[in-house]
Amino acid sequence: SLYLWMVELFPVHVRVTGVSVAYNVGVGIVGGMGPLVSDAADRVIGAKGLVSAPAAYTMAFGVLWALACVGSRCLASKGLMRLTHIRDSPY
């Protein structure tokens, strides 16, 4: 899951602060900019197109999330990133 992946990115002594700041800044930027970007893109895409601007914005971040997960798996297979749910023996 996303939360387990985020937790393992930070060392234990700064884990709570790191996760909370990263999560809240990400949600603030993506969620806060959502209506602005969707409204601006709605003028380009058009309301009667194949996909609406808010749906395109959501799908774009879904693809970005999937790329981050695939990238972390590739880094983990090369030994550059170790995540708890990929280790042989958790914790």
Side-chain angles (χ1 to χ4, degrees):
S1 95
L2 173 67
Y3 302 108
L4 182 60
W5 181 73
M6 282 180 62
V7 164
E8 285 296 313
L9 292 175
F10 297 98
V12 174
H13 64 282
V14 295
R15 187 166 286 170
V16 172
T17 303
V19 169
S20 66
V21 169
Y23 180 78
N24 287 309
V25 167
V27 167
I29 290 172
V30 174
M33 294 290 290
L36 179 68
V37 172
S38 292
D39 186 46
D42 204 19
R43 297 171 193 205
V44 175
I45 293 175
K48 296 186 180 189
L50 181 62
V51 79
S52 67
Y57 185 74
T58 304
M59 288 188 301
F61 278 99
V63 168
L64 185 65
W65 172 80
L67 289 174
C69 288
V70 169
S72 69
R73 295 288 290 193
C74 290
L75 290 174
S77 69
K78 294 178 181 177
L80 298 173
M81 179 184 280
R82 296 196 57 162
L83 299 174
T84 300
H85 62 286
I86 298 175
R87 293 182 190 154
D88 294 334
S89 60
Y91 302 103

